[in-house]
Amino acid sequence: MSTLTSSCCLGFDFSTQQLKVVAIDGNLQVVHQNNVHFDSDLPEFRTQSGVHLHEDGLTVTSPVHMWVKALDIMLEKMKKAGFDFSCVEAISGSGQQHGSVYWKKGSRARLQGLDPAKDLHSLLQDSFAVVDSPVWMDSSTTKQCLYLESAVGGAQQLADITGSRAYERFTGNQIAKIHQLQPDKYNETERISLVSSFAASLFLGDYAAVDYSDGSGMNLMNIFSKQWSKPCLNATAPMLAEKLSDPTPATTLLGPISPYFVKRFGFLENCKVVAFTGDNPGSLAGMQLQEGDIAVSLGTSDTVFLWIKEPRPALEGHIFCNPVDCTSYMALICYKNGSLTRERIRNECSGGSWEGFSSALDSTPMGNNGSIGVYFDVVEITPPAIGVYRFDQHDKRVDAFTREVEIRALVEGQFLAKRVHAQKLGYRIIPGTKVLATGGASSNKAILQVLSDVFSAPVYTIDVANSACLGSAYRAMHGLVAGTGVSFKDAVKGAPAAQLAVRPSPGAMEVYGPLLKRYADLEAKVLMAKTQ
Ligand code: XUL
């Protein structure tokens, strides 16, 4: 990026509920932020939290025209706020993962010749074969998932190729369903985009390639060769390779911005569009995760992302290609029993008070004198089990713990689970490993101390309300220099860094080393009890 302080990079995030934008200047400072809320700013689409839930209770879609119109509104809002588009050197973005867009035959030519006198929404009115795009919340494709796994030799085989076993929300299974239930629409489709590459296509004025990272969330790409997997394509739908076109690294400079935006909004002709990616890969960039680091987001559901070098795809979690370094990977694991379970135990064991919860953690020893708990109030994703299980120091099941022991057993159990599953996917603590904690519970020091002890690594906190969006602006800036060999880390040197919150207590490694193994064995026992 040039040193002109007035020049900037833009990051967009097409997420489930809103479209967001962040502009950063040459010093990596945020100089503009804006958003368009789908439900309230575009009420004509009648979405709830950005989506339509269908009557079967499984199908979830979003209107593709709503996303196009949101971009019209966003750019008008920025113009009204006095944003100077001529200072933008590069644009990148992210989108909710797995969602798909079906461009109708003839749309490429339309994208290449957009009339700057009109808005995108009216220009692209007739450009989509499927107007209700399937999104990540959809779980209607179990049949297609079972078929895909059996076609490639089983769930583990599919994970070995694509980084994940078959998941209903993953795009390949959604494409298979559209081909089976709406063959005419499938045949009318010239190009299938992810939400991310669809958004990039709007800026590029041409079809944008799917990037390796978001492409890893489709159950279609070989994450090692970074090519579409022929057996997966064949088991999904005919002529699919042509409709997808080749994937590309997330650092790719796709080309200059479409003349439409130059004429309509005053962007410079040589403003660059850098490949868009998924929101989770975007967050990895926004949080400036580095090799060996692990990010733990403690929210309604807990999510863990990792930067890994040697992935080991498993039947749980996902391996995606890394969005900022093509030789690395990222793993993503989701847990449903996050803050709601912590709140339940807080209510039952410390009268609803976080102070009481924290004092219980402070007054009980690391390792809880051998007491371990597994607390799955709702069916967990990783592993798929439900129920509350308490074990004493001899691995004998017990009915209850004292209140303090219960609180520590919950928090230790949640963090042991995160480390055990991360390790199954290839995670290793290396010198310099940081744990980046985000989300509601990351403001609780006592909880962070347990996190630090269980991982035997320092815990840093970072505000990531907009991490995917900010990550996209960082990636736009990196995209300008990535071709000359500059690493992402060097490109974002000087960006606001995470703050050290706590260090591991002395002796933590000795306590939690053996407990990790015990937790893994006990969790396997719980899973076995469920399947018997
Ligand atoms: C990840 C996933 C969600 C969406 C949310 O696999 O499905 O996190 O990316 O936008």
Side-chain angles (χ1 to χ4, degrees), residues 365-387:
M366 283 192 292
N368 220 4
N369 292 320
S371 299
I372 288 191
V374 175
Y375 298 81
F376 297 152
D377 288 352
V378 294
V379 181
E380 189 46 89
I381 303 174
T382 327
I386 186 164

Side-chain angles (χ1 to χ4, degrees), residues 196-422:
S196 56
S197 59
F198 146 78
S201 305
L202 297 178
F203 285 106
L204 194 63
D206 198 352
Y207 292 147
V210 166
D211 82 288
Y212 296 156
S213 265
D214 212 11
S216 320
M218 299 172 81
N219 277 150
L220 290 178
M221 197 186 79
N222 181 317
I223 57 163
F224 298 101
S225 69
K226 299 172 170 75
Q227 306 281 316
W228 301 120
S229 146
K230 286 218 169 75
C232 295
L233 292 182
N234 292 342
T236 301
M239 312 285 290
L240 192 48
E242 291 83 334
K243 291 186 202 290
L244 291 171
S245 193
D246 291 340
T248 196
T251 47
T252 308
L253 277 179
L254 297 173
I257 194 165
S258 149
Y260 171 86
F261 295 94
V262 176
K263 297 196 187 106
R264 192 170 166 90
F265 294 100
F267 280 91
L268 295 179
E269 272 174 20
N270 66 352
C271 167
K272 305 286 191 299
V273 180
V274 176
F276 283 34
T277 190
D279 54 359
N280 291 301
S283 287
L284 176 139
M287 292 166 83
Q288 303 167 57
L289 215 73
Q290 286 164 25
E291 187 179 343
D293 289 351
I294 178 163
V296 179
S297 158
L298 300 168
T300 309
S301 58
D302 287 350
T303 312
V304 170
F305 344 126
L306 320 158
W307 174 305
I308 40 180
K309 271 285 193 213
E310 287 169 18
R312 288 205 306 253
L315 292 179
E316 56 193 37
H318 310 298
I319 305 282
F320 299 144
C321 294
N322 188 298
V324 298
D325 171 13
C326 269
T327 62
S328 297
Y329 291 85
M330 73 177 275
L332 178 91
I333 318 172
C334 296
Y335 300 87
K336 273 199 204 158
N337 293 283
S339 62
L340 298 181
T341 311
R342 288 186 287 274
E343 281 161 24
R344 174 178 73 78
I345 299 287
R346 176 204 62 185
N347 293 344
E348 288 172 11
C349 298
S350 61
S353 137
W354 282 122
E355 289 76 45
F357 191 93
S358 302
S359 322
L361 289 176
D362 292 339
S363 67
T364 42
M366 283 192 292
N368 220 4
N369 292 320
S371 299
I372 288 191
V374 175
Y375 298 81
F376 297 152
D377 288 352
V378 294
V379 181
E380 189 46 89
I381 303 174
T382 327
I386 186 164
V388 173
Y389 306 82
R390 300 178 187 86
F391 300 94
D392 69 10
Q393 71 270 44
H394 307 296
D395 293 348
K396 205 169 125 274
R397 212 160 152 197
V398 293
D399 289 334
F401 287 147
T402 64
R403 290 174 178 200
E404 286 76 17
V405 171
E406 180 96 324
I407 289 174
R408 181 166 275 277
L410 166 73
V411 178
E412 286 191 344
Q414 289 189 329
F415 294 150
L416 285 165
K418 288 178 178 57
R419 187 163 167 196
V420 163
H421 298 130

Side-chain angles (χ1 to χ4, degrees), residues 22 24 28 30 94 277-290 295 305 307 322-324 330 436 438 461-476 488 492 495-498:
V22 161
I24 54 166
L28 297 122
V30 173
S94 61
T277 190
D279 54 359
N280 291 301
S283 287
L284 176 139
M287 292 166 83
Q288 303 167 57
L289 215 73
Q290 286 164 25
F305 344 126
W307 174 305
N322 188 298
V324 298
M330 73 177 275
L436 294 169
T438 77
T461 50
I462 188 159
D463 171 21
V464 286
N466 273 332
S467 60
C469 205
L470 187 61
S472 298
Y474 290 163
R475 289 196 319 98
F488 180 79
V492 299

Side-chain angles (χ1 to χ4, degrees), residues 16 96-98 136 169 279-280 332:
T16 314
Q96 53 170 300
Q97 294 203 257
H98 320 296
W136 67 278
R169 67 190 194 286
D279 54 359
N280 291 301
L332 178 91

